[in-house]
């Protein structure tokens, strides 16, 4: 008699698995840096089981703040917390060195700020996010609205196509009151240099390449369980 093949986990179940696995990186008694997105939402839900063991969180978006508070987790202003032991966040792409593209949820600027104040970035993803080289996912760039056209032209000169992100028929407005350009057609072979270059363009608030704030650990949910990659 042959046994029935196991049903593969859905992407949602993989996200739940990796969200729960991230609890192992939460330092008891500390304030935790919390990212944004559907994978992080699973982490936040899991974190509720530890809320008596942590002081609270620094959040990277209004959406995560609302979710954390609804579960009874205190949210601190990042200015009141000099350093965080760990920042836990998802990614749109991650490569073999821990470099990422982020910002699919439009929270890239606050995500980079909280990552920068954290000693360790733990990235939580399912294995669909692993890439050889960054650039297949449209690169989010938060921009000051009056500079959007000029910045789009600068990406065009690099071979990219920038599109203003829309929501309900009007340009999406970020938590910081700015706009997002999504750029396709780029091959980001040198993430550190690329991030530094684009960040210098007038009107760029944040480019969604996370190379200077890369992940030190990636927890990757796969059909065979959660893999840990250390960079
Ligand atoms: C939000 C982000 C997210 O981390 C990224 O978009 C991944 O999200 P999800 O876990 O929903 O796939 O950068 O700005």
């Amino acid at each position: 008699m042959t046994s029935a093949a196991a049903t593969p986990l859905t992407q949602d179940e993989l996200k739940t698995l990796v969200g729960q696995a991230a609890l192992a990186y939460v330092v008891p008694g500390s304030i935790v840096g919390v990212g944004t997105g559907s994978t992080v939402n699973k982490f936040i839900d899991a974190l509720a089981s530890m809320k008596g063991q942590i002081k609270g969180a620094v959040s990277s978006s209004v959406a995560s703040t609302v979710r954390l508070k609804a579960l009874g987790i205190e949210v601190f202003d990042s200015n009141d917390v000099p350093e965080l032991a760990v920042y836990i966040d998802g990614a749109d792409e991650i490569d073999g060195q821990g470099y990422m593209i982020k910002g699919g949820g439009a929270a890239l600027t606050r995500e980079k700020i909280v990552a920068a104040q954290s000693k360790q970035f733990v990235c939580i993803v399912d294995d669909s996010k692993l890439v050889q080289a960054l650039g297949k996912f449209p690169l989010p760039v938060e921009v000051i609205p009056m500079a959007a056209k000029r910045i789009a032209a600068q990406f065009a000169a690099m071979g990219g196509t920038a599109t203003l992100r829309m929501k309900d028929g009007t340009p999406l407005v970020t938590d910081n009151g700015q706009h997002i350009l999504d750029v396709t057609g780029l091959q980001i072979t040198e993430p550190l240099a690329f991030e530094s270059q684009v960040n210098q363009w007038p009107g760029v608030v944040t480019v969604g390449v996370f190379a200077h704030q890369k992940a030190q650990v990636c927890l990757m949910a796969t059909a065979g369980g959660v893999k840990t990659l250390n960079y």
Side-chain angles (χ1 to χ4, degrees):
M1 200 170 89
T2 55
S3 58
T7 316
L9 294 178
T10 64
Q11 196 178 30
D12 192 62
E13 288 167 332
L14 291 172
K15 289 178 183 185
T16 301
L17 208 60
V18 78
Q20 288 168 345
L23 290 183
Y25 287 81
V26 174
V27 180
S30 72
I31 298 172
V32 189
V34 176
T36 300
S38 57
T39 314
V40 166
N41 283 345
K42 303 291 191 182
F43 167 66
I44 295 174
D45 295 348
L47 190 62
S49 69
M50 279 186 76
K51 70 179 172 194
Q53 297 169 56
I54 58 168
K55 282 192 194 147
V58 169
S59 166
S60 62
S61 63
V62 172
S64 288
T65 297
V66 168
R67 198 173 187 100
L68 286 158
K69 286 186 174 172
L71 291 167
I73 298 170
E74 189 174 351
V75 177
F76 291 83
D77 186 318
S78 60
N79 289 298
D80 296 333
V81 184
E83 190 176 69
L84 298 165
V86 67
Y87 176 61
I88 295 174
D89 198 359
D92 299 302
E93 285 185 349
I94 183 163
D95 72 8
Q97 291 177 277
Y99 298 142
M100 296 165 284
I101 285 184
K102 292 182 46 54
L108 62 164
T109 297
R110 296 188 188 195
E111 290 173 342
K112 210 174 265 193
I113 292 167
V114 186
Q117 75 184 104
S118 304
K119 283 205 272 191
Q120 187 181 42
F121 189 139
V122 177
C123 180
I124 53 174
V125 291
D126 61 77
D127 53 6
S128 67
K129 307 288 184 69
L130 182 64
V131 295
Q132 292 283 339
L134 301 179
K136 199 165 173 202
F137 188 90
L139 175 69
V141 185
E142 184 165 1
V143 300
I144 305 284
M146 70 177 283
K149 280 208 172 152
R150 188 167 197 283
I151 293 165
Q154 286 180 278
F155 279 118
M158 277 182 162
T161 303
T163 307
L164 187 63
R165 194 180 298 182
M166 305 293 283
K167 189 179 178 194
D168 302 329
T170 54
L172 178 141
V173 178
T174 67
D175 287 353
N176 311 308
Q178 311 304 337
H179 289 170
I180 298 279
L181 292 175
D182 291 302
V183 188
T184 55
L186 298 173
Q187 284 188 338
I188 304 167
T189 51
E190 293 181 53
L192 284 163
F194 180 91
E195 183 182 7
S196 298
Q197 180 188 0
V198 175
N199 266 337
Q200 289 183 39
W201 295 352
V204 168
V205 179
T206 303
V207 58
V209 169
F210 281 53
H212 292 283
Q213 269 75 44
K214 71 172 202 146
Q216 280 76 47
V217 177
C218 178
L219 300 179
M220 186 169 298
T222 73
V226 176
K227 284 187 188 164
T228 304
L229 310 175
N230 292 290
Y231 302 106

